[in-house]
Amino acid sequence: MIQIKSRTIVLINSRNLCIMNIVAPHTCLLFVFEGDIMSLPDDSNEFKKKLCHLYNEISKELFGFGTTLLKVSIEQNIITFHAKHRRSPRSTALEGEAPTLKHEVDFYMSSIYKKRIRERLEQELGLSMEAVLRDYDPPTQWAITNIILKPAK
């Protein structure tokens, strides 16, 4: 499969990934990745919409509301979510009265989020994952979630 987007040419076959990025006239960077890569659906925009929908559904289930900003990117075998969450009134109350407890609750909620997103991505999209990594910054409400996909066999 060959994809051409702006100044990047991507060549994919079942065993290799080759990316050529044109950085200036007559100058390009070439990256070649050998070995099995997990194949993602061809229509990446539709796939990204499904990913965002899933991420927001989990947010609503756990916190009662979705994100205020959500962006998903896919690079090779890593799916990354950049999400700005809403501040919960309960979270604000805990922060003032019991900051240590709030920090602990944030940690456990993030762990639950990772577990749920792994389950849903496996069940609904058939993705096989090596790892789900998530970092959440309570003061700014930003969360970055990285999904590392297993190589195809």
Side-chain angles (χ1 to χ4, degrees), residues 105-132:
V105 169
D106 286 342
F107 172 79
Y108 283 110
M109 292 306 289
S110 199
S111 295
I112 293 167
Y113 212 107
K114 287 169 39 174
K115 181 182 173 196
R116 294 254 177 105
I117 200 154
R118 177 186 283 274
E119 290 169 352
R120 300 280 295 274
L121 290 172
E122 286 174 347
Q123 292 169 358
E124 296 180 30
L125 299 178
L127 297 179
S128 181
M129 291 156 272
E130 276 191 38
V132 177

Side-chain angles (χ1 to χ4, degrees), residues 87-115:
R87 185 174 297 276
S88 161
R90 288 181 217 125
S91 181
T92 304
L94 267 179
E95 195 169 52
E97 296 296 320
T100 306
L101 177 60
K102 185 206 179 286
H103 181 72
E104 199 172 326
V105 169
D106 286 342
F107 172 79
Y108 283 110
M109 292 306 289
S110 199
S111 295
I112 293 167
Y113 212 107
K114 287 169 39 174
K115 181 182 173 196

